[in-house]
């Protein structure tokens, strides 16, 4: 409700009803289900604890999307809700009207509250108006335990996830009655003991995304990998700057890493792998790819330099033939053969939508080797190629080879080498001239939608100047 | 609540007033414009032939309808000062049910 506009009569009537706890509690028995959400919202925002507890027990929907109501963590009202659940779970004979199966603490399902409390479409005709609904359920039916609590987890707990500490405390002593389900799990540095205590509470089958940003010993990583192997529905796995101290013998290291990589064979649902500074996999990426059960949609390798063996294996992996997104940003190609990448692009040409080769130090000769494969990637929507050292003639060639890439909506290229002066600074007039010429070449072969030419980072301030984006020009390049 | 055509200024699509009648035969004549705050009343008065004359819609007794009448005035006055609309708790449930139907 805006402070500028008057409350609806429903809001006013609801608040009046909530002022009398006894009446409100009695009213729940006859309340149509469509009135539960607006009344719940009033009770929640108004701090009507006792009525709220009763409403939780009488909730007529299978899911209570509480997270969408908590704009900021409201520990007091969360506690009240959990107390209401305690009362529900403590009842020996299940109430007839018990519907609730899921408490959703994620900040999703805002539409649920808007739908019931905002403008309800087509509510005008009496035929559309819901009749008064009874909440009676036939005996013997109703939801079964455990009650699921849905949340995204960020470990260790820190704001805004502080309410999770409450939830964990509440769940203690309720094994089999309440089940914590998490779709997205983020782990920063955490002790093995703390991590295991939490993972044992989770329904691992529910987890779909895991993001790890931590420094662990190799043995801790291996222990965690065991849990990864049990996440049968895991779709996205991200390792970011996971540093592993390996003060173990080579034999033990090989054994532990073998255990880690073998877990990938159990992740039936894995489709997206992000390796950002994942140095611990150095030399073992091919093992990971070999263990995968299904083709990947996304492979992202950044902030690390794959070994020759790993790089060469990219071309031979059958699990990379259906890639939608390939990100090799920052992988220096200087000492790598372009052949594996060329073959990889050929294999994935029919599906690839995003290709990021930014800042890969690709040279003219390497690009020449890639052109035939690149020209076949007809499904490409986004191509990032800036940050590479390419001459003007080869740039012309590259753009002519993109004639078939008609799905491209964003393409980013480097300023040709000839745009720089002898000191390595960008020569603005030449840059503009070259970009205009290259844009014309593009227009001759297809209709470009979003084309950007980036300079190298300014050696003074680090910003890149982008052709057609005057606002990107840094003061360092402006005439005195 | 029933809608009836009468011949005292509440008749026809351009009438300035709307007459609301509760199921226990209390009548309220309200200005048409504020009454359109109710989605249900809006449909009742706007679409030609949507509701047959004298067709009963729903049983709403006098008390909630009286509050509804007050609410229409409250909405108009609210912009001038943040007037509070008093609603006694003992009528609140009845009103909630009625308002659910009236959509306002």
């Amino acid at each position: 409700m805006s402070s500028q506009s008057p409350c609806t009569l429903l809001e006013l009537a609801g608040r009046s009803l909530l002022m009398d706890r006894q009446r409100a509690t009695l009213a729940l028995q006859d309340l149509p289900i469509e009135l539960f959400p607006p009344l719940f919202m009033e009770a929640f925002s108004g701090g009507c604890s006792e009525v709220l507890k009763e409403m939780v027990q009488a909730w007529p929907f299978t899911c209570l999307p509480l997270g969408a109501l908590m704009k900021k963590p409201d520990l007091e009202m969360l506690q009240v809700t959990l107390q209401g659940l305690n009362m529900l779970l403590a009842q020996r004979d299940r109430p007839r009207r018990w519907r609730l199966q899921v408490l959703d603490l994620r900040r999703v399902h805002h539409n649920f509250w808007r739908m019931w409390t905002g403008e309800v479409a087509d509510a005008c005709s009496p035929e559309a108006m819901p009749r008064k609904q009874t909440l009676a359920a036939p005996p013997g039916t109703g939801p079964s335990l455990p009650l699921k609590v849905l949340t995204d987890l960020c470990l260790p707990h820190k704001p805004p996830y502080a309410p999770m500490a409450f939830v964990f405390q509440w769940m203690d002593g309720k094994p089999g009655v309440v089940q914590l389900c998490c779709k997205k799990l983020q782990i920063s540095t955490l002790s093995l003991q703390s991590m295991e205590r939490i993972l044992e509470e989770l329904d691992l089958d529910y987890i779909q995304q895991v993001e790890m940003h931590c420094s662990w010993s190799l043995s801790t990583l291996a222990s965690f990998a065991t849990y990864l192997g049990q996440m049968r529905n895991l779709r996205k796995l991200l390792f970011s700057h996971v540093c592993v101290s390996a003060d173990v013998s080579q034999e033990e290291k090989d054994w532990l890493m073998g255990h880690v990589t073998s877990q990938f064979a159990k992740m039936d649902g894995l489709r997206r792998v992000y390796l950002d500074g994942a140095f611990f996999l150095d030399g073992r990426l091919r093992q990971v790819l070999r263990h995968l059960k299904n083709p990947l949609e996304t492979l992202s390798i950044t902030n690390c330099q794959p070994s020759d063996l790993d790089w060469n294996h990219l071309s031979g992996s059958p699990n990379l033939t259906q890639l939608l997104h390939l990100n090799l940003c920052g992988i220096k190609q200087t000492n790598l053969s372009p052949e594996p990448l060329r073959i990889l692009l050929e294999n994935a040409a029919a599906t690839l939508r995003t290709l990021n080769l930014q800042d890969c130090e690709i040279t003219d000769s390497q690009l020449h080797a890639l052109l035939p494969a690149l020209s076949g990637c007809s499904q490409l929507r986004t191509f990032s190629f800036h940050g590479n050292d390419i001459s003007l003639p080869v740039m012309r060639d590259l753009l002519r080879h993109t004639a078939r890439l008609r799905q491209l909506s964003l393409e980013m290229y480097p300023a040709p080498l000839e745009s720089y002066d002898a000191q390595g600074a960008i020569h603005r007039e030449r840059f503009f001239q070259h970009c205009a010429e290259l844009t014309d070449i593009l227009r001759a072969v297809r209709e470009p939608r979003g084309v950007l030419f980036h300079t190298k980072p300014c050696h003074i301030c680090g910003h890149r100047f982008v052709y057609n984006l005057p606002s990107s020009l840094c003061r360092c390049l402006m005439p005195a | 609540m029933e809608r009836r055509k009468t011949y005292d200024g509440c008749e026809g699509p351009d009438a300035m007033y709307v007459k609301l009648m509760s199921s226990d035969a209390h009548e309220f004549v309200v200005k048409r414009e504020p009454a359109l705050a109710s989605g249900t009343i809006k449909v009742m008065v706007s679409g030609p032939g949507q509701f047959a004359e004298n067709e009963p819609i729903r049983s709403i007794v006098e008390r909630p309808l009286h509050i509804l009448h007050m609410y229409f005035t409250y909405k108009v006055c609210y912009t001038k000062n943040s007037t509070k609309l008093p609603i006694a708790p003992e009528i609140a449930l009845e009103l909630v049910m009625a308002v659910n139907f009236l959509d306002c």
Side-chain angles (χ1 to χ4, degrees):
Chain A
M1 182 201 72
S2 156
S3 58
Q4 303 296 323
S5 56
C7 301
T8 63
L9 188 51
L10 183 60
E11 286 167 343
L12 292 169
R15 281 177 207 169
S16 177
L17 181 64
L18 291 169
M19 281 167 55
D20 187 329
R21 181 205 154 182
Q22 228 170 346
R23 278 183 207 272
T25 304
L26 281 172
L28 294 178
Q29 294 179 16
D30 294 321
L31 204 67
I33 68 166
E34 65 268 19
L35 288 176
F36 267 82
L39 207 61
F40 190 95
M41 286 179 72
E42 284 297 334
F44 192 84
S45 58
C48 306
S49 307
E50 296 310 310
V51 178
L52 199 73
K53 286 180 203 171
E54 300 293 334
M55 291 200 76
V56 166
Q57 295 173 72
W59 190 250
F61 303 96
T62 53
C63 175
L64 173 56
L66 195 72
L69 283 187
M70 297 197 293
K71 288 191 179 67
K72 50 182 181 176
D74 190 333
L75 299 181
E76 188 188 336
M77 297 316 287
L78 172 62
Q79 212 167 9
V80 167
T81 307
L82 296 179
Q83 285 168 1
L85 285 176
N86 276 345
M87 291 160 74
L88 182 65
L89 296 169
Q91 294 182 43
R92 208 171 255 283
D93 300 317
R94 264 182 228 161
R96 271 181 319 131
R97 301 180 324 176
W98 181 358
R99 291 282 189 281
L100 187 61
Q101 294 185 49
V102 176
L103 173 67
D104 195 340
L105 297 178
R106 300 172 300 161
R107 289 195 188 160
V108 295
H109 303 308
H110 293 88
N111 282 341
F112 172 85
W113 300 106
R114 279 192 213 114
M115 179 182 77
W116 291 105
T117 62
E119 293 294 318
V120 179
D122 295 329
C124 303
S125 70
E127 289 76 17
M129 291 306 287
R131 295 184 182 281
K132 176 175 161 182
Q133 304 229 0
T134 61
L135 301 178
T141 61
S144 55
L145 292 173
L147 177 77
K148 288 184 170 44
V149 176
L150 244 56
T151 184
D152 289 333
L153 270 181
C154 183
L155 305 173
H157 306 302
K158 46 190 170 194
Y161 294 95
M164 285 316 301
F166 262 140
V167 175
F168 279 113
Q169 211 174 358
W170 172 73
M171 287 182 56
D172 259 341
K174 295 184 178 66
V177 175
V178 177
Q179 174 69 64
L180 187 63
C181 299
C182 150
K183 271 192 180 172
K184 183 176 171 185
L185 175 64
Q186 284 179 290
I187 301 180
S188 300
T189 303
L190 191 68
S191 71
L192 176 62
Q193 201 181 11
S194 305
M195 180 189 62
E196 285 185 333
R197 198 168 61 231
I198 292 168
L199 288 175
E200 292 295 329
E201 300 280 344
L202 290 176
D203 180 353
L204 296 180
D205 275 347
Y206 212 87
I207 298 176
Q208 293 186 11
Q209 292 185 39
V210 170
E211 294 183 12
M212 297 172 56
H213 316 255
C214 43
S215 304
W216 275 338
S217 68
L218 191 50
S219 56
T220 303
L221 178 63
S223 299
F224 178 71
T226 309
Y227 292 98
L228 279 179
Q230 296 174 52
M231 296 175 191
R232 312 228 177 269
N233 292 303
L234 185 66
R235 292 190 60 85
K236 174 187 171 184
L237 180 58
L238 182 147
F239 290 106
S240 177
H241 295 90
V242 174
C243 302
V244 176
S245 62
D247 46 350
V248 295
S249 65
Q250 185 62 42
E251 197 182 336
E252 195 173 350
K253 182 179 177 183
D254 289 342
W255 187 88
L256 287 169
M257 282 307 302
H259 173 75
V260 170
T261 56
S262 67
Q263 300 306 310
F264 282 83
K266 301 175 188 173
M267 299 177 207
D268 295 344
L270 191 62
R271 294 291 184 278
R272 295 184 283 159
V273 174
Y274 299 78
L275 305 172
D276 180 38
F279 300 99
F280 70 99
L281 279 177
D282 185 32
R284 295 173 198 273
L285 177 60
R286 63 191 187 284
Q287 291 170 9
V288 168
L289 295 174
R290 208 178 291 136
H291 281 303
L292 290 175
K293 272 194 170 173
N294 295 294
L296 291 181
E297 290 175 1
T298 300
L299 176 64
S300 175
I301 307 173
T302 53
N303 284 309
C304 64
Q305 197 63 22
S307 67
D308 285 340
L309 279 175
D310 282 340
W311 181 249
N312 293 337
H313 189 81
L314 288 181
S315 57
S317 174
N319 289 318
L320 299 180
T321 58
Q322 296 181 33
L323 280 178
L324 297 177
H325 312 285
L326 176 62
N327 181 7
L328 300 174
C329 177
I331 302 293
K332 306 289 182 242
Q333 306 282 306
T334 322
N335 297 320
L336 295 174
S337 164
E339 270 304 290
L341 180 55
R342 180 189 71 77
I343 297 172
L344 175 57
L345 291 177
E346 272 181 6
N347 292 341
T351 54
L352 199 63
R353 290 189 191 176
T354 306
L355 176 60
N356 189 339
L357 298 175
Q358 178 188 337
D359 294 332
C360 291
E361 292 184 3
I362 293 176
T363 60
D364 280 354
S365 59
Q366 288 173 320
L367 180 57
H368 257 304
L370 297 175
L371 280 181
L374 187 59
S375 66
C377 296
S378 57
Q379 301 304 307
L380 215 52
R381 267 89 161 144
T382 305
F383 179 37
S384 303
F385 192 65
H386 56 291
N388 295 294
D389 293 331
I390 308 294
S391 66
L392 184 59
V394 178
M395 277 297 304
R396 291 179 185 130
D397 223 4
L398 165 63
L399 295 183
R400 290 188 187 110
H401 271 81
T402 64
R404 288 173 55 195
L405 309 189
R406 296 182 184 279
Q407 307 289 336
L408 274 173
S409 56
L410 178 61
E411 27 194 328
M412 290 173 279
Y413 300 105
L417 288 173
E418 290 84 347
S419 302
Y420 297 90
D421 63 24
Q423 287 71 44
I426 192 73
H427 190 288
R428 287 173 64 214
E429 284 70 33
R430 269 190 251 154
F431 176 52
F432 290 159
Q433 195 180 347
H434 295 148
C435 291
E437 180 200 338
L438 292 171
T439 306
D440 286 342
I441 289 174
L442 257 183
R443 289 202 181 109
V445 298
R446 59 180 166 85
E447 193 58 50
R449 273 172 268 188
V451 183
L452 299 171
F453 293 94
H454 294 247
T455 66
K456 293 179 186 179
C458 171
H459 63 279
I460 299 170
C461 66
H463 283 113
R464 296 180 201 254
F465 177 36
V466 183
Y467 178 67
N468 278 345
L469 282 183
S471 59
S472 65
L473 183 63
C474 63
R475 290 191 177 278
C476 315
L477 292 179
M478 284 184 183
Chain B
M1 181 177 71
E2 301 177 354
R3 183 173 73 91
R4 285 187 187 164
K5 281 191 180 175
T6 66
Y7 299 94
D8 57 357
C10 300
E11 173 189 2
D14 298 325
M16 277 186 64
Y17 293 90
V18 173
K19 185 181 286 185
L20 307 176
M21 182 177 291
S22 71
S23 59
D24 50 352
H26 286 83
E27 287 186 359
F28 297 88
V29 176
V30 300
K31 272 196 170 175
R32 180 194 178 94
E33 190 61 33
L36 299 182
S38 160
T40 305
I41 293 175
K42 191 175 179 180
V43 168
M44 288 164 72
V45 302
S46 57
Q50 257 193 308
F51 295 95
E53 198 169 316
N54 300 331
E55 179 184 330
I57 307 298
R58 175 73 72 91
S59 296
I60 298 183
V61 297
E62 184 265 342
R63 285 200 307 178
L65 213 54
H66 174 67
I67 301 289
L68 181 71
H69 180 207
M70 288 171 59
Y71 175 70
F72 293 148
T73 310
Y74 155 83
K75 266 199 86 172
V76 171
C77 293
Y78 187 89
T79 49
K80 295 175 191 166
N81 59 55
S82 298
T83 313
K84 284 198 187 295
L85 180 66
I87 300 175
E90 55 267 23
I91 191 185
L93 176 59
E94 220 171 345
L95 184 61
V96 160
M97 300 291 217
V99 167
N100 184 37
F101 167 68
L102 290 166
D103 181 31
C104 59

